[in-house]
Amino acid sequence: MAPQPDAAIAGIGLTEQGRHLGISRRELRRQALDLALDDAGLERSDVDGYILIGASFEDLRYLGLSPAFAYSLMTGGASPTASVLVAAGAIATGQAKTVACVYGEAYSSEPPKLVPHTTGGVERDIRAYSYGYPYLYGMVGPASTYALAARRHMELYGTTSEDLGRVAVVEREYASIRPGTQGYGQPITLADHQESRMIVDPLRLLDCSRPTDGGAAIIVTSTDRAADLTDHPVRVLGGGTSHAIETWWDGTMFESMNVDRAARTALGQAQMNIGDIDVAQLYAPFTIAVLMQLEEYGFCKPGEGGAFVADGHTGPTGTIPTNTGGGQLSGFYATGFTPLSEGILQMRGQAPSSQIADARTCLVSGSGGNGGIQGSWSHATLVLGADR
């Protein structure tokens, strides 16, 4: 087994997260970087590695950086989680000492792309929400593919819409007491879930997240340097990745989130079992993704995710409090930075609400790369540890 990474997170920056903020992606990245540098007590000149989360042109001039390297990393929702591993590798090989991993998107503030319509005029370009050839048959957007995963789970295990709804209710409970979340002050009931409109059968409105605008940044450095910079460094105890292109070939693309290899590598490096994890922050833009990951990581057995949530195990006093900031369903959607940022705050003991007492270890997941197979193409896992 590979040795434990010599890496820690010394700073974090989160901008306002919300809808229609009216701030550009680049400016959100600048704001997040400012916050992360201030949190770590660093200057821009200290940053010698830069990882932009997303497929975009680099923006070093706007950010005022002059690093030894600048990468643009895109593996879907797994990108923020994976960026920590890339940063750790750069530090281990002497390419940098201080790496900034930065994200910023303005989904609801930037004008939609328009294309000519065959009958004249223009229409909204929805091709960005399609995934290759399935688009030819009307499969547009990740909800349609996660819906197939949900239906398959129902057929295999008898999972119900109410099982999905309880995931939404728990995450909204967390968000309803967390200022700044999309669900703040707005708790929901299972009846609310069941009455919400159908989006893609069997997924209802309250089974789905929606993109928000916002920026996020973290500062990754060595464990020794992090301890010098801050009183609350967050150790990277282990990390791993998986890829599941083979599911296209064997017909199992809607049956798995493909966590196995990523989990085994991350837990192996951390020298832990899944029972050693205190809290979990999961990449889950749809309720079904929570159930699938709870089962595949081994927090419960296959097919038992619905009952596991119903019995309170993912709540604040449960055996594995999960998505304690409201997750992507009710907190905010910053791709994989949603679970990663909450994991960091929990390990620092600084969660604004629902801080889990004595939490010392956290599992963070990220999935994506191709929503056409419900986010299972690329998967990344981190095990974070408290050092406070």
Side-chain angles (χ1 to χ4, degrees), residues 50-385:
Y50 177 72
I51 301 176
L52 167 64
I53 306 303
S56 175
F57 293 109
E58 58 83 15
D59 45 13
L60 297 181
R61 286 178 293 177
Y62 189 84
L63 297 179
L65 298 176
S66 182
F69 69 82
Y71 300 154
S72 179
L73 178 62
M74 172 48 75
T75 182
S79 302
T81 312
S83 75
V84 178
L85 300 180
V86 175
I91 293 166
T93 57
Q95 307 307 307
K97 294 182 179 179
T98 308
V99 182
C101 304
V102 183
Y103 162 90
E105 289 290 347
Y107 291 107
S108 64
S109 295
E110 296 186 347
K113 293 182 180 179
L114 302 176
V115 295
H117 193 276
T118 55
T119 60
V122 294
E123 64 179 352
R124 191 183 188 103
D125 185 3
I126 63 173
R127 288 175 295 179
Y129 302 99
S130 63
Y131 305 98
Y133 67 81
Y135 173 71
L136 301 175
Y137 300 92
M139 182 177 284
V140 179
S144 61
T145 53
Y146 276 89
L148 291 175
R151 181 59 67 192
R152 182 60 174 157
H153 203 271
M154 290 174 170
E155 292 179 355
L156 286 173
Y157 304 115
T159 302
T160 66
S161 176
E162 288 83 357
D163 291 328
L164 300 179
R166 292 185 184 94
V167 173
V169 170
V170 171
E171 296 202 6
R172 183 61 68 89
E173 287 176 353
Y174 282 125
S176 68
I177 60 172
R178 173 72 62 91
T181 65
Q182 296 302 287
Y184 180 59
Q186 304 172 61
I188 60 173
T189 65
L190 185 57
D192 292 329
H193 173 271
Q194 290 293 288
E195 293 168 5
S196 65
R197 73 179 187 270
M198 192 68 72
I199 300 301
V200 184
D201 189 24
L203 298 181
R204 298 180 177 276
L205 179 65
L206 292 178
D207 289 308
C208 308
S209 64
R210 59 178 178 170
T212 50
D213 302 352
I218 57 172
I219 304 298
V220 184
T221 186
S222 67
T223 52
D224 286 345
R225 187 156 187 262
D228 291 336
L229 292 172
T230 177
D231 293 332
H232 38 254
V234 176
R235 291 283 308 276
V236 181
L237 302 179
T241 56
S242 302
H243 204 279
I245 187 63
E246 72 273 8
T247 62
W248 282 53
W249 306 328
D250 63 19
T252 62
M253 63 183 69
F254 299 110
E255 295 181 8
S256 170
M257 291 291 289
N258 187 45
V259 310
D260 184 59
R261 184 182 186 279
R264 281 189 286 108
T265 304
L267 290 167
Q269 288 183 352
Q271 299 181 27
M272 293 180 181
N273 297 313
I274 198 65
D276 298 319
I277 300 298
D278 296 326
V279 295
Q281 310 298 338
L282 305 177
Y283 180 92
F286 301 90
T287 51
I288 184 59
V290 173
L291 298 187
M292 293 174 73
Q293 289 179 86
L294 289 172
E295 294 169 7
E296 291 181 46
Y297 273 110
F299 293 115
C300 60
K301 294 179 180 179
E304 295 183 356
F308 190 77
V309 173
D311 289 341
H313 289 286
T314 60
T317 60
T319 56
I320 184 68
T322 301
N323 292 349
T324 49
Q328 294 165 321
L329 293 172
S330 288
F332 58 91
Y333 184 85
T335 71
F337 259 113
T338 302
L340 178 56
S341 61
E342 180 66 11
I344 293 169
L345 293 175
Q346 286 287 339
M347 291 299 92
R348 289 169 63 155
Q350 296 177 341
S353 62
S354 302
Q355 174 64 51
I356 305 304
D358 301 321
R360 308 293 298 180
T361 58
C362 177
L363 184 144
V364 176
S365 76
S367 292
N370 191 308
I373 48 172
Q374 101 283 340
S376 69
W377 193 333
S378 180
H379 197 87
T381 304
L382 287 178
V383 178
L384 302 179

